[in-house]
Every structure is written in structure tokens, then in C-alpha cells.
Amino acid sequence: MAEKMDIDTSNGESKEEEKTGGPVAPAEMSTEKIISTNFALINQAVDSFDPRFTLRALRSIATLRKREDFAQALGAGIRQAFPKESNNARRVLEEMLPESVRQQQNGSAETNGKKDEVEVVEIAEVWAYLGVLVQVYLLDTASHQAGATFSLNLVSKLRSFNRRTMDPLSSKAYLYLSLFHENLAPLPPSPQSPVLTLRPTLLAALRSAVIRNDSDTQAAVTVLLLRNYISTADITQADLLVAQTQFPASAANNQVCRYLYYLGRIRAIQLAYTEAHSNLEAATRKSPTTGAAVGFYQQATKMLIVVELLMGDIPERATFRLPVLEKALAPYFKLVQAVRVGDLGGFVKCVEGNEGRFRGDGTYTLILRLRQNVIKTGVRMLSLSYSRISLRDICTRLSVESEESAEYITAKAIRDGVIPDSSLDHEKGDLLTHSGRDVYGSTEPSEAFHERIGALLGMRDECVRAMRYPGNRNREAGIEAMKARERERELVGEVLEAEDEEDEEMGGGMDGL
């Protein structure tokens, strides 16, 4: 689940490469060189107060964690950033590394110190970046208890810094802190899970982030709190958090996708399917469909398909043919086929055969609600096929237990408008269907057209908000240019007034002559 939710940010990558002279982590660079280059990026971010350089350094984590010499390179980076062995920051970081790496560091501190080409200033941002790398190493080595303890100390120290250059690093630290607690026994949704003890820490971090106008940490912690509440089925608390907090508009795209996904899950559980559908659809549109974010895209699409079925709609067949979704959506394709034709037996068989997979996706309880939809669809298909059909035949075709149940189902379908042009003959036990109505005589086409227009207008508004406008420097230059033009106009006006006065004087002299 953690891997599915991990989406890397991608803002202005090509422009940043032009500024710093190359990609973040090319394959030919060594692991130590990548970490050393990231130190330079963080120093540049602190000097220029530009968080994009820090985000670029964080994007290389996916490359670093795949290297076999990640632990050794991390130790070399700690030694490069803090050359003195008596440094407390170095000691705290080294304690989390293996004993062999620590011995290797102590034995080769002087020789490696001379080979370092990048001079690193001992700043808090570099220490925080190394702390995040240590969190990644502990998570990859399944040291969850040690990682949870280290992460709690790390975030408490980061919270003491009120520096905006620390915001991207703090948001990452809180993410890994939450992942460590989710992997501690007993696992969620157990009421004794350690994720419950993490909530006060996350709430305090959210309060501090709002006060300090830290949009990065605010967005990350809000998403983590929603994830925490949903993992233990505390939907009421998650709804209160959404109602009493405001998600920052300047949040990164990956955090927006996660927020919309969790909000869609909350609304689906609360039976607000229309709002859940809009949120999940927005999450799938914003989510990348390649790279490390494929898992999130698949998960959001699964939830969207279930919500569409609960709304009475049938997903498009082209969705299941996409290469990145074809294998992951195979059980859901069978589910959609059973719901589309109203095959109750096929629906029950599909649910029982894929129960474990549906539970892992978090859609099992929602899928159980589809049973009534399958029955209604079956009744509608029968009403379209037969002008008169007995309740006994309905029981046989829909696998209903008794005729009384079939009568109740059909009566409820007529009342809900599923088969509006039908009626029940209680004496003979038949379902009668009258001539069908004209769809174009109703409001359904206009409603579908209105929904499409709304989606396009929403996409257009998001594109306008995502545009990048000139900075303050260009604005100041424009203001100075306007002032210069105004001064030129004033000078021209003064010259013209002087010429008019001279003409008047010359004209008065000629009249006198």
C-alpha cells in the first residue's frame, strides 16, 4: 500500500536541469557522487531561497535506494557533511547504520576527506536530508521499530526549526514516520495499532504548519491523518478533519492526488457517491500513468470503477484495455460484466473468488453493496425483454430465494424508478411492462451534456491556475519602464507647452507691428 501511494513530484524539471547543468541522478554517476551533488543543490536552495532545488534532491531518493552500495554511500555522505567525529549530528545519524559501515568510516575518514570535491557547509537542511536518507535505509531494511524511534526524534527536531527551506524535507520525514508506524504490530485496523499513538504528533505538526504558513508540511500531514483515520475505519473523525481544515491550494500535485483519493474513499463510505466520483475522477486525471505512480493510478481507478457501479453506471470497456490497467483490473472486469447483465450468481462467484484481493484493495465492503444493484439491473433487463413475466421465473433467473422476495424486489424497483413503465399483478403473480418511453423526451441528454461541460470547464480552470506567471523581478522592471514612459510623456508635454508660449509671444509682437 505504501508503494502505491508514493508519487514523486515533477515540477519544472527541464528548467532546473538547465540551471544546474544536467539531470538529477544519471545512471553513470556513482552513489556517493549523487549524494554529494544533492548537497550542492540543498546549499543552493538555502542561498537562493528556492525550494525547487531541494525537491530535485529529494527526487533522487528513488534512484539511491536501488543502489547496492547505498549504505556505504550514505555513510560517506555523513562523513563529508560533518567531518568532525565528535559532532553530535554525525553521531546520531551513524548510530542507525550497520556496524561494518561505521567501522569503515572511522578507518577511512582522513583519506576520503581529501577526495571530496564539493565543499559542504554544516547547515540544518543538509542534516535533515541525511536524516531522510537514513529513514529510507531503515524502511528498506525492515527496521521498523528503530525507524519509528529515529523518526520521532527527527521530526521533533525538525519542528523546532522555523525555516521555509526546511519544509520539503519535513514533509518527507513525516511521510516515512507514518509508514514506520503502519508496519508495527499489531497492524491496522486493530484498535491497539501504534498508528493511534501517532495521531497527537501529526495533529501538533498540522497546527504548527498552519501557524507558520508551511503549505508543504500542512498538505503532507493532512493526507497522512486521513490515511491514518481510514486505516482504522474512523470515518467520522476523518470527515471532521476535512470539514475543519482547509487543504492548501499551493500543494504539490502528488499531495493533491492523495487528498482527492482519500476524500473520495470517505465520501463513498458515507454513501455520497456523486461527490466521491468527482474526487476520484480528478485524482485519476491528475495522477501520472507511468513510473512509480502506476500503483496509485491503479488503486484510484479500482475505487472509481466501484463507485461508478454503485451509481448505476457502467465503466467504459476501453478502461480495462489500457496496458497499465489490464492485469490489475481483471477481477473488476468480471465484476462489471456480472453487474451489467444482472447475473447475481456470477456476481456472488466473482466476489467469493476474489475476496482476498478486494479486501487488500479496500473495496470489499463497497462491493457488497452492489448486490442490490445487480438485482435491480436483472429486473430491468427482464422488464425490457418481456412484457409479462411471472415472479417464479424472476426467482429462477435472478437466483432469488422465494416469490415473496422477488415481489418485494420488483415493487421496490418500480418505486425507485428503475422500471418506471411497469406494474405488478399481485393476483396472477406477474410483472407487466408497458411501452417504453422516449429518452430524448426526458432531461437525461441535457444532464449528460451539462456534466461533460462542467468537467471541461473545471479542467480549463485548473489549467489557468497552473500557469506560471513572471516573478517580482519582471514586475518591477515593468513598473520602472512605465515610470520612464510617464516621465517621457511629461517632458514632451513641457516641450510642447514651451513652444506654444513662444508662438504666442511671437504672435503678439507681430500684432503690435
Side-chain angles (χ1 to χ4, degrees), residues 409-422:
I409 291 170
T410 53
K412 189 174 185 301
I414 294 172
R415 187 196 66 178
D416 295 341
V418 178
I419 44 177
D421 299 322
S422 302

Side-chain angles (χ1 to χ4, degrees), residues 382-389 431-434:
L382 292 175
S383 66
L384 294 175
S385 302
Y386 302 95
S387 59
R388 177 187 292 268
I389 185 172
L431 174 65
L432 305 177
T433 304
H434 308 290

